[in-house]
Amino acid sequence: MSIPPFEVLQPESLQEACELLGKHSSEGAAVLAGGTDILVDIRRPIIPEHLPRCSGCDPKTLMPRKAVEKPPAYMVALSRIPDLSGISEAKNGDISIGSMTTITQICESQLVREKLTALAEGGDNLGSPLVRNRGTLGGNICNARPAADALVPSVALGAQLELQSVNETRIVSVSDFVTGPGRTIRKADEVLSKVIFPALPEMSGSSCIKLANRKALEISVVNVAAVLTLDKAGKISQAKVALGSVAPTPVLAEKAAASLIGEKPSDDLFKEAGKTAAGECKPITDHRGSALYRVDMVGILVKNALQKALERAR
Amino acid sequence: MSDYRILNTRAPRVDAFDKVTGKAKYTDDLSMPEMLFGAILHSPQAHARIVKVDTTEAKKLPGVKAVITSEDTEGIAFGVSPARYDEQIFASERVRYVGDEIAAVAAVTPEIARQALDLIKVEFEELPSVLDAHLAMDDEAEQLHERYKNNIVQQVHWDFGDVEAAQKEADVIRTDELTSKMQDAAFLEPQSALATYDQGYLTMYSSTQAPHYIQRTLAMALSLPLHKVRVVKPAVGGGFGPKAACSSMELATCLLAMKTGKPVKITFDREQVFLHSRARHQFFHKMTTGVRKDGTICFLEHEALLDGGAYCSFGIATVYYAGSLLGGPYRLENMKYDGYRVVTNKPACGAQRGHGAVIARACFEIQLDRIAEELNMDPVELRLKNVREAGETTCNELYLSSFGMKEALEAVRDSAAWKNKRDDQPDGKGIGAACGFFVSGAGYPIYYSKTPHCTVVTKLNEVGGGVIVESGAADIGQGSDTMLAMITAEVLGIPLSDVRVMSGDSDLAVDLGAYSSRTTLMTGTAAKEAAESVKAQILEVIADKTGASIDDLDVIDGEVINSKGDLNIEELRHDFRMEHRGFRGIVKSGNLTFNEAARVAFIDKGSIVGTGKYSPPKLGGSFKGAAVGTSPAFGCSAQIAEVDVNLDTGEVTVEKITGAHDCGFAINRTQVEGQMQGSMMMGMGEALMEEIKYDECGRVINANLAEYKIPTSLDMPPLESIIIESHEPNGPFGAKEVGEGGIMPTIPAILNAIYDATGVRINELPVTPERIRTALRKAGKVNK
Ligand SMILES: Cc1cc2nc3c(=O)[nH]c(=O)nc-3n(C[C@H](O)[C@H](O)[C@H](O)COP(=O)(O)OP(=O)(O)OC[C@H]3O[C@@H](n4cnc5c(N)ncnc54)[C@H](O)[C@@H]3O)c2cc1C
């Protein structure tokens, strides 16, 4: 069996979940949402770790790549906690999405499709129907992969995260939350309860594009999310561009976004912004794509994403 | 339309219900009382001497029932080709790839078995590893096996016709190259084996394609009498080649069962499927072809290097096939081939759909398009000018007893509106064509033998009614059980539902297995013969009892019909009715039913059994290696692919593939189309995405189906499948292969279409977006 044994705990309230996480933190306790990341990540390598590798092998790279240092002895499942899933719009237009909301629910929500198009499109690009039915927004964000298909648009849309622990509730921005591949500022006893997307002004539009070698079940070679707002004169008043798979975390291409402000949208403008964004990332070469290709594609995808966002803003 | 009632229809598969409802049992679904679970310890190093294996701690773990290593295997050697038995159940002196087997354990739970592996200590002494097929042949290269000098397992040097003379006749001569990557067959069901050993009898349930070869290898390696080894194939979720040879996992399962006296099961994790591999080799092809101005092909000079990983496996056949199957489908009288199959410190490669011939075919068909361009000739026209017809023999002595190549090519040309689309397409859109050629069953077994390739025993149900077909054929999802049932029902004139097929069991009959696209032609012929015998035996009794002439009798739709008038059946019917007092639905009037006739015949003769066999006629020339590539018949196919290439990103969308395949005669039309579509899907994956990737230490870095890409349903375009029926004289009812040949044209058709769309040539598979974008950039075709 490649999945090591663990015990599943099923708290009925958020408070209880936080307590259990705190109580078992020394033995290792992980939050279990849809399980589509964590159950894959804790697999044991088929070839036992104690066997000596060849001198050229980096001892850290095992097969499969070991994503979790120590498999948790406990899984704290969120499935029985009421009110963790659902999508709602506040009076001020902020949209709040419960962390246990599945990717399918997000993709099927008219509200999200209309107001947070980039997130819906990111969701469309994620995995397959099976994975989308189980995988959650909270899981995608907390797993903190630089390519994550719901995380990258969340960064562009300026999502705020509500983190709940035994003693406190805090709100942090998603950009501050993710610190590295698989790494976040989440404390051991914290649960992400909801994700708040600040209302976008009138005349806003967003989009998300993924580049990969096939049309489903893919980890992006590059993914890009863009958000644009136009003023009454038709000039760009706000812009955000987020890049995935080009750095250890999703990146906000700030110079590219800044270059758009106050400008009249045009193909040339977007093309230049693409070039600027390409200069703002430092991807690596791995088996999914070379750094050169990725930089090249950032330029093209940013331009395309901005064009799509513009169509929707108008 | 055909005169058949059952053949040539779209009858539902006999296993459809069980598969769809989840009732079908695969090997891993099987469980037995007291069954133990096995686990295998694989090498973490690509090339190393084994200094010491210490299993002391593992043996002490409670719940562990056996731990075995090479010390328990008496140095047994096995493999695929008897001349190259280079594998061991467990590595004794050295490991040759990351994944090579070192030890196995059996324990009461899978978890304990796994924990036991963590307690086995191994000391290695690292050896330089050889990961590059070209460097492997250097004199200085570390040698993997003592017997393979320069790491060459097999070389082939063929020279048919007179290439030198033909060079002088050619107006255009081109040299092209194509490189592929090792591939995985990506079948759904990982290998699984369950062994029991009871009173000297070994029974192995295995997800195999070839129970017969497994049976032989087990008996040989474990020193058991052949008749005391039984191999049973439960439902199998795909094979495509890698499941055609006995594996050390199967042998280890048996050894553990023999050692513990308990049933033992081992099921591979998906990652082990990749480590074990035995899938498609890596090919490096270089071809020089010459043609006359009018398009006549003059000669082909072909060099191939095959990287086959650590062991020989099917490698000898692979390197022969890579050369021999270019003998068709075109008139090519002068062909020179130099092929080398080497070993490297990677998982061993073996046979995979289109064995040995797929990348060679792709290289040649791509080259034909380039030649057509130089000649300013339509590539379909160039092909049509050169295709062979039935009755011809290739330069390497392959006889084409039926051959619908021209018909197939014309069919796709017309159906895909080739001319219009070829001439008139915007940038980024492209269309490409290619042909293919493949054996319909290998002419010779893998080991030297004059054995029939298969037998079928068809037995009449003794209480009256249907028949049971007993065969060793391996239905691995391709539908051979349905084929056997349809042929039997057609011959006997009874409904399909009255035929029950038992197959895939070495106790039932001999069958070399599901490989080289043999089952319909070979086992189908044997089934036909067996059913004919049963029918004759029944009708003989009926003729005798009724006074009719046997020549006037036939069974049609389950009733015995006398073409010369009524049959005198009063007495027979009376007896039958008397036997069935209290039974409902016993016929009172009308024609004699098959059920009645069968019962009458049984009462008269006792058991009624019909047998059939298939032995190919003597095939092939007298040159060295002539046996590989011979076949009682050859299939051929043509395809046209249409693509849309995003010139900014290099992404390819295949928009449509139109395929035509000459299967001789479609026993079941839906299944023929299914094989064609499966082939196109697999070929498309190999063209665009499939590639086993290694790190510099020889470890597979994408050993799972998330990172090893095959097309998803969203990637698949509409596929049009056109069935060509050329009526093969050596096949049952004219049938021949469709299982593998259908993959041949897919890769080159797509690559030719990509060239049409982009104007850039890519000589390395798979053609990923990045490779296209890079080629576009090099060609100066990227917008600044
Ligand atoms: C076949 C397959 C294909 C996939 N394809 C894609 C893809 O295309 N794109 C993509 O982005 N991802 C993909 N994924 C990854 C995964 O499905 C998504 O990231 C998904 O959104 C994860 O959600 P989950 O609920 O399953 O997370 P889980 O696996 O349950 O959790 C993921 C991590 O987040 C933590 N966590 C989860 N919820 C919370 C919470 N509320 N508070 C605190 N911590 C939490 C867990 O402890 C764990 O560390 C794929 C996965 C599979 C198996």
Side-chain angles (χ1 to χ4, degrees):
Chain A
M1 284 291 284
S2 61
I3 293 185
F6 54 80
E7 194 177 322
V8 180
L9 307 173
Q10 296 179 293
E12 314 251 339
S13 72
L14 206 48
Q15 179 69 16
E16 197 193 337
C18 298
E19 282 167 14
L20 286 170
L21 285 168
K23 182 172 150 207
H24 294 296
S25 62
S26 57
E27 305 118 280
V31 175
L32 179 66
T36 60
D37 268 319
I38 194 152
L39 295 179
V40 177
D41 288 347
I42 62 171
R43 281 176 311 160
R44 281 182 290 217
I46 280 294
I47 300 177
E49 291 166 59
H50 75 282
L51 291 181
R53 265 52 188 175
C54 79
S55 53
C57 284
D58 176 352
K60 287 216 190 72
T61 55
L62 294 159
M63 293 193 311
R65 179 182 55 82
K66 213 172 126 195
V68 170
E69 228 12 85
K70 186 167 151 256
Y74 295 91
M75 293 271 183
V76 179
L78 303 184
S79 52
R80 292 204 178 160
I81 303 172
D83 306 327
L84 275 184
S85 88
I87 302 167
S88 59
E89 188 175 17
K91 285 216 179 68
N92 67 358
D94 287 1
I95 295 173
S96 156
I97 304 184
S99 65
M100 284 293 280
T101 309
T102 65
I103 303 299
T104 298
Q105 286 170 320
I106 286 169
C107 293
E108 287 178 352
S109 155
Q110 262 321 311
L111 182 66
V112 176
R113 288 223 91 86
E114 208 173 291
K115 303 232 160 126
L116 306 171
T117 317
L119 181 66
E121 286 183 338
D124 293 340
N125 295 338
L126 190 147
S128 64
L130 275 156
V131 177
R132 292 194 287 271
N133 285 344
R134 283 206 68 80
T136 63
L137 177 62
N140 196 259
I141 290 174
C142 292
N143 211 53
R145 291 285 149 201
D149 282 304
L151 173 60
V152 173
S154 297
V155 168
L157 291 163
Q160 301 288 309
L161 310 182
E162 184 183 278
L163 296 167
Q164 199 94 38
S165 63
V166 179
N167 300 320
E168 112 182 278
T169 304
R170 58 175 179 149
I171 305 263
V172 298
S173 86
V174 68
S175 304
D176 294 339
F177 181 69
V178 178
T179 56
R183 285 201 303 274
T184 67
I185 58 168
R186 188 182 78 87
K187 296 182 197 129
D189 67 343
E190 270 180 330
V191 173
L192 169 63
S193 47
K194 64 181 168 207
V195 185
I196 303 147
F197 294 87
L200 288 171
E202 291 282 295
M203 302 277 282
S204 296
S206 67
S207 72
C208 184
I209 298 183
K210 172 171 182 165
L211 175 71
N213 284 7
R214 66 178 172 189
K215 296 190 172 21
L217 282 167
E218 265 286 28
I219 296 172
S220 304
V221 176
V222 174
N223 47 348
V224 169
V227 188
L228 277 187
T229 304
L230 300 179
D231 63 18
K232 290 215 177 65
K235 288 190 178 152
I236 298 169
S237 59
Q238 285 183 36
K240 285 268 190 66
V241 175
L243 314 175
S245 319
V246 292
T249 65
V251 195
L252 271 175
E254 291 182 355
K255 285 185 197 142
S259 75
L260 301 168
I261 307 295
E263 300 290 332
K264 264 219 167 314
S266 73
D267 284 357
D268 282 345
L269 180 71
F270 291 165
K271 205 164 165 180
E272 281 308 310
K275 281 188 193 158
T276 309
E280 287 183 83
C281 60
K282 275 215 174 62
I284 52 161
T285 292
D286 66 13
H287 69 94
R288 293 191 193 101
S290 70
L292 187 72
Y293 180 61
R294 287 191 155 121
V295 171
D296 192 13
M297 289 303 104
V298 163
I300 285 168
L301 264 58
V302 164
K303 178 186 79 161
N304 294 348
L306 286 169
Q307 278 164 345
K308 276 173 82 178
L310 174 68
E311 283 163 29
R312 289 164 185 157
R314 274 176 174 157
Chain B
M1 267 329 293
S2 74
D3 301 332
Y4 301 110
R5 294 164 313 109
I6 290 172
L7 299 183
N8 215 236
T9 64
R10 297 185 174 277
R13 291 168 60 127
V14 295
D15 56 349
F17 186 82
D18 280 1
K19 293 239 170 106
V20 171
T21 56
K23 266 172 62 187
K25 291 256 181 288
Y26 296 78
T27 304
D28 190 54
D29 294 326
L30 306 179
S31 182
M32 299 210 173
E34 297 189 59
M35 185 175 82
L36 303 175
F37 297 87
I40 290 179
L41 189 76
H42 298 276
S43 169
Q45 299 200 13
H47 203 189
R49 216 166 280 293
I50 298 181
V51 179
K52 193 169 157 203
V53 181
D54 180 357
T55 60
T56 326
E57 293 303 312
K59 281 178 175 153
K60 283 189 205 151
L61 185 71
V64 170
K65 299 295 176 189
V67 182
I68 53 176
T69 65
S70 65
E71 288 187 3
D72 303 84
T73 64
E74 302 164 3
I76 299 158
F78 75 102
V80 173
S81 302
R84 302 282 190 288
Y85 280 166
D86 60 5
E87 296 184 52
Q88 291 186 299
I89 304 175
F90 302 114
S92 60
E93 281 162 17
R94 56 168 145 168
V95 288
R96 295 188 176 84
Y97 69 97
V98 176
D100 219 348
E101 295 82 358
I102 297 173
V105 301
V108 294
T109 68
E111 181 57 29
I112 294 175
R114 165 69 213 211
Q115 284 170 9
L117 294 185
D118 289 341
L119 298 174
I120 300 175
K121 295 189 196 77
V122 189
E123 259 176 59
F124 297 103
E125 187 187 304
E126 213 175 311
L127 295 168
S129 52
V130 181
L131 298 172
D132 179 296
H134 290 94
L135 299 181
M137 294 194 292
D138 278 0
D139 287 335
E140 299 81 53
E142 185 76 14
Q143 200 162 310
L144 268 71
H145 298 257
E146 263 164 39
R147 59 203 295 186
Y148 302 142
K149 196 168 167 335
N150 292 100
N151 290 314
I152 298 170
V153 173
Q154 180 74 30
Q155 40 186 308
V156 187
H157 301 288
W158 279 337
D159 200 347
F160 302 109
D162 188 343
V163 169
E164 233 171 86
Q167 276 169 341
K168 296 189 190 106
E169 287 172 29
D171 297 312
V172 173
I173 298 180
R174 265 196 77 99
T175 300
D176 290 291
E177 296 186 23
L178 184 68
T179 299
S180 68
K181 302 294 155 53
M182 282 183 189
Q183 281 157 353
D184 179 74
F187 36 74
L188 282 179
E189 181 208 14
Q191 286 94 333
S192 178
L194 194 174
T196 66
Y197 186 65
D198 202 5
Q199 303 187 42
Y201 280 86
L202 177 75
T203 306
M204 148 124 306
Y205 302 85
S206 177
S207 61
T208 178
Q209 297 176 236
H212 176 75
Y213 288 130
I214 311 301
Q215 178 192 32
R216 280 181 53 92
T217 310
L218 297 182
M220 177 192 78
L222 306 172
S223 299
L224 294 168
L226 267 159
H227 70 279
K228 292 196 173 176
V229 177
R230 177 180 171 208
V231 177
V232 184
K233 176 213 69 71
V236 167
F240 308 108
K243 292 179 182 172
C246 189
S247 69
S248 58
M249 181 270 263
E250 284 162 318
L251 283 157
T253 310
C254 294
L255 277 174
L256 290 168
M258 290 168 76
K259 184 148 184 161
T260 59
K262 303 239 162 83
V264 177
K265 182 166 77 180
I266 299 184
T267 300
F268 271 173
D269 194 90
R270 179 60 64 180
E271 195 180 345
Q272 288 171 294
V273 175
F274 282 87
L275 292 190
H276 176 67
S277 180
R278 270 62 173 181
R280 193 164 334 276
H281 286 63
Q282 179 173 25
F283 294 83
F284 300 87
H285 288 286
K286 182 175 176 189
M287 296 186 184
T288 302
T289 298
V291 300
R292 283 206 222 112
K293 275 204 199 80
D294 67 356
T296 310
I297 302 174
C298 303
F299 73 93
L300 164 65
E301 256 185 295
H302 172 200
E303 283 167 43
L305 171 62
L306 281 62
D307 184 351
Y311 298 99
C312 175
S313 181
F314 277 91
I316 301 182
T318 318
V319 68
Y320 275 119
Y321 273 131
S324 67
L325 289 178
L326 289 175
Y330 306 110
R331 293 196 180 106
L332 170 62
E333 303 302 347
N334 308 293
M335 178 167 84
K336 190 165 179 298
Y337 174 54
D338 296 289
Y340 300 84
R341 199 282 196 180
V342 301
V343 280
T344 58
N345 293 114
K346 290 185 260 186
C349 305
Q352 187 170 313
R353 195 179 215 158
H355 191 183
V358 173
I359 310 301
R361 170 60 50 199
C363 185
F364 189 63
E365 295 288 327
I366 291 164
Q367 184 169 55
L368 282 183
D369 261 43
R370 297 178 188 181
I371 288 170
E373 190 178 32
E374 287 191 23
L375 291 174
N376 206 6
M377 205 170 164
D378 179 287
V380 169
E381 286 308 314
L382 173 70
R383 288 177 171 83
L384 279 173
K385 189 169 171 59
N386 287 286
V387 292
R388 286 194 184 276
E389 286 171 19
E392 296 186 34
T393 302
T394 70
C395 67
N396 50 340
E397 298 182 49
L398 310 177
Y399 176 67
L400 311 175
S401 37
S402 63
F403 211 56
M405 187 67 258
K406 182 162 171 279
E407 293 78 357
L409 188 49
E410 287 172 348
V412 294
R413 177 197 64 191
D414 297 345
S415 187
W418 165 263
K419 271 246 168 306
N420 303 344
K421 288 183 188 153
R422 181 80 185 180
D423 296 343
D424 185 23
Q425 295 233 74
D427 234 19
K429 292 251 186 199
I431 185 166
C435 292
F437 175 72
F438 201 66
V439 297
S440 182
Y444 294 86
I446 291 165
Y447 58 96
Y448 173 85
S449 175
K450 296 185 170 126
T451 176
H453 287 209
C454 55
T455 55
V456 167
V457 179
T458 297
K459 184 167 183 274
L460 197 61
N461 194 320
E462 304 199 335
V463 290
V467 293
I468 296 167
V469 179
E470 298 181 4
S471 148
D475 193 327
I476 56 171
Q478 87 281 39
S480 59
D481 282 354
T482 305
M483 176 276 296
L484 293 174
M486 289 176 78
I487 286 181
T488 304
E490 182 73 45
V491 170
L492 285 169
I494 60 178
L496 198 51
S497 56
D498 284 353
V499 179
R500 201 141 56 91
V501 176
M502 290 164 63
S503 66
D505 182 334
S506 64
D507 268 4
L508 296 175
V510 161
D511 199 296
L512 297 187
Y515 74 101
S516 83
S517 295
R518 65 175 56 238
T519 309
T520 296
L521 188 145
M522 298 189 178
T523 318
T525 297
K528 179 168 178 271
E529 196 176 300
E532 281 164 353
S533 159
V534 168
K535 181 173 165 185
Q537 292 179 61
I538 297 170
L539 292 183
E540 199 180 305
V541 176
I542 302 303
D544 187 43
K545 299 270 176 210
T546 60
S549 158
I550 187 165
D551 298 334
D552 300 334
L553 296 181
D554 200 359
V555 188
I556 296 170
D557 289 333
E559 294 181 346
V560 180
I561 306 293
N562 179 10
S563 60
K564 294 276 157 65
D566 284 346
L567 267 185
N568 178 9
I569 60 168
E570 288 305 300
E571 198 183 321
L572 301 182
R573 180 150 283 162
H574 174 263
D575 286 354
F576 190 82
R577 288 178 63 79
M578 290 301 285
E579 261 194 4
H580 292 91
R581 271 188 278 186
F583 283 66
R584 264 173 266 180
I586 302 296
V587 286
K588 294 191 181 121
S589 58
N591 292 327
L592 187 72
T593 66
F594 178 81
N595 282 6
E596 289 171 308
R599 181 69 184 159
V600 168
F602 164 71
I603 290 171
D604 194 61
K605 297 182 80 155
S607 302
I608 291 184
V609 173
T611 64
K613 72 172 172 61
Y614 183 82
S615 290
K618 191 178 160 10
L619 296 165
S622 50
F623 55 93
K624 182 169 190 286
V628 188
T630 60
S631 177
F634 292 88
C636 53
S637 40
Q639 285 169 23
I640 287 179
E642 295 167 50
V643 302
D644 183 355
V645 182
N646 181 327
L647 299 174
D648 282 336
T649 61
E651 289 165 289
V652 176
T653 303
V654 178
E655 298 194 312
K656 185 167 184 199
I657 304 178
T658 307
H661 185 91
D662 172 17
C663 66
F665 169 75
I667 300 286
N668 183 313
R669 301 190 75 81
T670 307
Q671 285 192 193
V672 168
E673 289 168 2
Q675 289 296 313
M676 290 174 69
Q677 290 165 5
S679 288
M680 293 188 238
M681 179 262 180
M682 210 160 173
M684 181 178 140
E686 297 189 14
L688 300 177
M689 42 188 100
E690 297 190 33
E691 170 175 4
I692 302 276
K693 296 172 182 170
Y694 297 92
D695 68 8
E696 59 284 3
C697 307
R699 299 179 298 180
V700 180
I701 56 174
N702 58 342
N704 58 65
L705 292 178
E707 298 281 2
Y708 181 87
K709 318 285 180 198
I710 60 171
T712 69
S713 47
L714 289 186
D715 296 283
M716 287 315 295
L719 303 174
E720 188 185 337
S721 317
I722 304 169
I723 299 175
I724 306 290
E725 297 180 307
S726 64
H727 297 279
E728 167 55 44
N730 297 320
F733 302 96
K736 58 182 176 181
E737 75 89 23
V738 64
E740 298 180 79
I743 198 174
M744 294 294 160
T746 314
I747 297 173
I750 291 174
L751 264 66
N752 287 338
I754 290 174
Y755 173 74
D756 188 41
T758 61
V760 293
R761 303 279 190 196
I762 292 153
N763 299 323
E764 182 182 357
L765 295 174
V767 182
T768 57
E770 178 163 358
R771 290 201 175 106
I772 293 184
R773 174 76 183 179
T774 306
L776 285 167
R777 195 210 317 269
K778 278 194 187 137
K781 296 193 180 203
V782 167
N783 300 336
K784 278 277 158 290

